[in-house]
Amino acid sequence: MKAGAANVWFTSALRTLTALLGAGSFGLGTLAVFATQNGTGAAALIVFGGVLLLLALLGGHVESLEFGGATLRLRAAAAERFALADESERLGDAATARQLRAEARTLLDAAGPLAADYSSVRGSMRPGAARTRALEEVIARARSLAQGQSFESAEVLRWLREGTDAERITALAMMQAKPELRDFEATLAAITRPRTPFEQYHAMRLAVQMVDELDGAQARRLAEAVERQRGIRFRRDSDRVRLREEILRKVRGRS
């Protein structure tokens, strides 16, 4: 969303109302942490209130929320895990509490530089080899993070299916690094309906890794999908043409 458009609808009155709603939600969430056993609900209220307060503070500069959308989502997921960890600890399940807190810390690690750096590179550099190299460095860090930390496969899948551009490419990189995080349907969708050529390239790289894991029907669908993309999306992109040929070669080699 552009700043000019935001100024039209984000009036002073609406900003005040948003601030009041945010403060109320944040306050109720904080109170609920101490007054109830529903840690997840309390965390949700705190996160929701924080987002509303941030929106009120930014006012006409709402476009910055798009830049940080991935960070807000990851931090919300981390807050939920911290709340669940507290509940598990109250129930006497120390092992689950430790696991949930470890997952929350991992999500916070991903929420920081990865999403911001991806958005910053795409927004500040012109398309070309230099930008591609910079983006690949961010992707390499996402792979390293996945290899060194524990992530819930359902959470990574949600990033790829529903997330921002930064979340989606982070999910693809993590799936490249860890087979247990992979999902065929989501990968196929990223190939056939990518948001960017860079995303499609990494979805195809992931598909090359996945070919040997697929059943016969899935392998045929993958081959048909990359064949259909031939003259639509990567007519002049040698890297994606090479990946298409590698996918087709591996699929044919299965029979």
Side-chain angles (χ1 to χ4, degrees):
M1 184 181 296
K2 302 299 183 186
N7 286 329
V8 173
W9 62 267
F10 206 82
T11 64
S12 177
L14 183 55
R15 183 187 298 190
T16 301
L17 178 60
T18 303
L20 289 172
L21 288 172
S25 178
F26 191 88
L28 285 173
T30 303
L31 178 63
V33 168
F34 300 100
T36 75
Q37 299 298 311
N38 188 359
T40 302
L45 281 171
I46 291 172
V47 170
F48 179 67
V51 170
L52 288 180
L53 287 171
L54 180 61
L55 181 60
L57 178 65
L58 290 172
H61 299 285
V62 169
E63 73 279 6
S64 63
L65 277 178
E66 182 179 348
F67 178 92
T71 298
L72 290 174
R73 275 188 254 273
L74 290 169
R75 291 189 183 280
E80 181 180 9
R81 276 166 173 71
F82 277 127
L84 289 172
D86 289 342
E87 286 188 4
S88 297
E89 196 165 61
R90 280 195 292 270
L91 293 172
D93 190 348
T96 299
R98 283 194 299 271
Q99 176 63 27
L100 286 166
R101 289 194 178 100
E103 291 175 5
R105 285 190 290 270
T106 300
L107 287 167
L108 290 176
D109 287 341
L114 283 178
D117 285 357
Y118 179 86
S119 299
S120 178
V121 169
R122 282 192 60 83
S124 63
M125 298 181 68
R126 292 182 177 181
R131 187 174 81 167
T132 299
R133 284 194 297 271
L135 290 173
E136 287 292 352
E137 290 178 5
V138 178
I139 297 306
R141 285 163 48 204
R143 292 193 198 101
S144 297
L145 183 65
Q147 289 169 340
Q149 303 287 347
S150 174
F151 282 85
E152 285 287 335
S153 58
E155 189 72 26
V156 176
L157 177 58
R158 187 182 67 80
W159 298 346
L160 182 52
R161 284 179 170 168
E162 306 171 11
T164 64
D165 289 357
E167 286 174 320
R168 285 166 65 87
I169 198 67
T170 298
L172 288 170
M174 289 180 169
M175 289 180 180
Q176 290 169 3
K178 273 195 171 180
E180 60 267 31
L181 298 177
R182 296 171 185 171
D183 182 90
F184 172 72
E185 296 296 340
T187 303
L188 190 67
I191 292 173
T192 57
R193 298 188 300 278
R195 293 186 186 173
T196 65
F198 189 72
E199 178 184 301
Q200 187 181 51
Y201 168 79
H202 277 283
M204 293 178 71
R205 279 192 62 173
L206 175 58
V208 168
Q209 296 176 286
M210 293 176 64
V211 169
D212 294 336
E213 308 165 6
L214 305 180
D215 60 36
Q218 289 173 329
R220 286 191 296 274
R221 289 174 60 200
L222 176 60
E224 291 168 0
V226 296
E227 281 281 28
R228 285 196 301 270
Q229 299 295 304
R230 185 194 328 237
I232 301 174
R233 296 187 183 273
F234 44 80
R235 184 169 54 251
R236 300 175 183 173
D237 188 319
S238 60
D239 289 331
R240 281 181 288 170
V241 169
R242 176 183 55 79
L243 286 173
R244 181 198 70 208
E245 295 304 319
E246 187 172 358
I247 290 170
L248 293 175
R249 177 181 56 79
K250 292 190 75 170
V251 169
R252 295 188 192 109
R254 290 164 49 98
S255 46

